[in-house]
Amino acid sequence: MTSFSKSEIIELISQGEDEAEGLFQKAARVRNETVGNHVYFRGLIEVSNICSNDCFYCGIRRSNEKVRRYQLRAPEIIECADAVAATGITSLLFQAGERHDESFISLMCECTAEVKRKYPSLCVTLCLGELERDQYRRLFDAGAARYLLRIETSSEEHYRKLHPGEMSYKNRLRCLRDLRDLGYQVGSGVMINSPFQTLENLAEDILFLKEMDIDMCGMGPYIPHGDAPFTDVPYSAPEALFMGLKMIAVLRLAMPDINIAATTALEALSPQGREKGLRAGANVIMPQFSPQAWQADYMLYDNKPCGDDTPGELIESLAGVCRACGMVPDFNDPGHSLHFRKRIKYGNTG
Ligand code: 5AD
């Protein structure tokens, strides 16, 4: 593990293409030596695009009236989980816009419990935003083992520029602490190259994730959405992708034993985005299992990829991507974060 100072991180993420190649190789080597060269898969199910938040960067923010809103019903959600289980993948992710209403929370508890009843060894991860501690507890008790909540930026001042005044950085921190305290395996991350962000912010983001002692990370480049307030494109797609890869590599060196996802945003910027993410130190891929009919309605940013491959084809092509970078696609192992396994005293590992 490398203990970086802020200025060292700034230097690394300022590197040009040739130098950065060495950084990526080093990060991939450290990954292989620490968590191994296996790639873990999470079947992603986008349960609903209804959202009570109004983040300035996001395509499904509540003020975007152009979005065709949907909410899957319990049987449809379980059908998606069946499709994940049928491929042999042992970990799934329920993602949705943020909702606090009882009907939604109880639906997610019900679906989590049903998945655990049908497939006891299928690990359930949630990405449902900022909830009350008691709601997190109920979801944990229903069987959810992991939770992803990006801090988006570790700077409170920068956070205020990305979110309306009704949202608070402090509450997001409270959520991350509650999740950890309740026994979840906790993931966080940031948006890279988001508006108003500085290199210093990005360096502080790495230090923040380390300080928070996270188990997993999903972070990807910001990509504009035409119907969100921020429409400027401050960086070209190759520049944004490149910065995303350098952040993955530096985080891998700073936190060698966590799980790091090669996110969809990387793929949106380049057809080889995920492969490049793996080559830069990532070890997790999240293939899409949402119903085809709704995938295009979960548009966080423009041109978010929605495949028309069947799950079988998708898995086969992703396995090829893993092998192309000398990694082993691993469907059978739920891929708990090594970092979590080291620190765990209690928690749902099933
Ligand atoms: N570009 C990139 N990522 C985005 N997200 C939301 N909007 C965008 C965007 N325009 C990310 C946020 C959120 C995750 C679900 O999607 O980081 O946490």
Side-chain angles (χ1 to χ4, degrees):
M1 178 185 21
T2 316
S3 275
F4 292 118
S5 67
K6 188 157 74 170
S7 59
E8 283 168 334
I9 299 176
I10 292 178
E11 209 169 291
L12 288 171
I13 60 179
S14 307
Q15 286 183 348
E17 303 258 348
D18 290 345
E19 258 182 309
E21 206 40 56
L23 171 68
F24 298 154
Q25 283 171 13
K26 185 169 176 196
R29 193 171 65 242
V30 166
R31 176 203 54 217
N32 291 349
E33 288 166 4
T34 315
V35 292
N37 68 342
H38 286 212
V39 181
Y40 301 111
F41 289 78
R42 322 296 186 207
L44 169 60
I45 302 168
E46 291 160 340
V47 171
S48 167
N49 65 357
I50 300 172
C51 189
S52 55
N53 280 342
D54 223 9
C55 309
F56 297 143
Y57 46 82
C58 183
I60 63 166
R61 64 199 300 267
R62 71 162 188 258
S63 296
N64 185 3
E65 289 175 0
K66 294 190 188 160
V67 178
R68 182 173 68 135
R69 303 286 171 176
Y70 73 88
Q71 158 75 71
L72 301 185
R73 291 184 301 266
E76 295 168 305
I77 296 171
I78 299 304
E79 222 172 274
C80 295
D82 291 339
V84 174
T87 63
I89 293 181
T90 45
S91 164
L92 66 73
L93 170 64
F94 288 142
Q95 184 168 52
E98 188 170 305
R99 301 255 306 269
H100 309 104
D101 52 286
E102 177 51 32
S103 63
F104 183 67
I105 303 299
S106 55
L107 171 74
M108 292 320 301
C109 286
E110 182 195 325
C111 290
T112 300
E114 177 62 8
V115 166
K116 295 304 293 180
R117 191 192 61 76
K118 266 182 115 165
Y119 309 106
S121 59
L122 189 56
C123 181
V124 176
T125 305
L126 303 175
C127 181
L128 307 172
E130 296 174 36
L131 302 177
E132 295 305 322
R133 184 183 170 101
D134 192 53
Q135 295 174 320
Y136 287 145
R137 186 202 311 276
R138 285 168 57 201
L139 290 158
F140 186 81
D141 290 344
R146 308 176 186 162
Y147 204 101
L148 303 175
L149 180 68
R150 292 186 180 178
I151 190 74
E152 313 296 357
T153 171
S154 62
S155 152
E156 186 163 8
E157 193 190 332
H158 184 215
Y159 188 92
R160 272 199 293 271
K161 295 183 183 163
L162 301 178
H163 302 96
E166 73 212 14
M167 286 177 72
S168 104
Y169 178 81
K170 290 201 170 60
N171 193 50
R172 224 161 168 88
L173 279 185
R174 188 273 304 160
C175 290
L176 286 171
R177 295 198 177 109
D178 277 347
L179 288 163
R180 182 175 163 119
D181 197 44
L182 288 165
Y184 280 98
Q185 207 170 137
V186 180
S188 193
V190 295
M191 265 190 316
I192 296 160
N193 282 356
S194 63
F196 312 111
Q197 191 178 51
T198 61
L199 284 176
E200 195 169 55
N201 289 146
L202 284 171
E204 283 166 0
D205 290 343
I206 299 276
L207 298 174
F208 170 89
L209 295 170
K210 177 130 197 224
E211 172 73 28
M212 291 298 286
D213 203 32
I214 56 156
D215 304 304
M216 324 178 269
C217 181
M219 57 183 176
Y222 160 72
I223 303 171
H225 188 288
D227 298 316
F230 293 151
T231 46
D232 282 3
V233 188
Y235 299 93
S236 68
E239 285 170 330
L241 174 63
F242 186 43
M243 186 58 88
L245 298 173
K246 286 188 283 190
M247 284 291 285
I248 288 176
V250 174
L251 184 66
R252 173 61 71 194
L253 297 178
M255 303 189 76
D257 60 1
I258 64 170
N259 282 339
I260 304 179
T263 52
T264 316
L266 297 177
E267 195 198 347
L269 293 171
S270 154
Q272 288 89 42
R274 289 212 245 229
E275 181 174 334
K276 289 184 172 168
L278 295 177
R279 288 188 191 277
N283 67 331
V284 167
I285 289 186
M286 300 176 171
Q288 175 65 262
F289 281 82
S290 308
Q292 295 279 347
W294 296 110
Q295 285 188 18
D297 297 291
Y298 207 93
M299 273 298 147
L300 303 174
Y301 43 82
D302 290 332
N303 303 318
K304 182 167 162 272
C306 12
D308 34 34
D309 292 351
T310 63
E313 289 165 347
L314 179 64
I315 296 311
E316 217 16 73
S317 83
L318 289 172
V321 168
C322 300
R323 291 189 199 102
C325 14
M327 297 187 74
V328 180
D330 193 335
F331 300 113
N332 302 323
D333 187 325
H336 293 293
S337 147
L338 175 60
H339 188 81
F340 176 75
R341 283 190 271 131
K342 285 188 201 156
R343 76 171 176 80
I344 186 188
K345 293 195 191 66
Y346 59 99
N348 290 350
T349 50

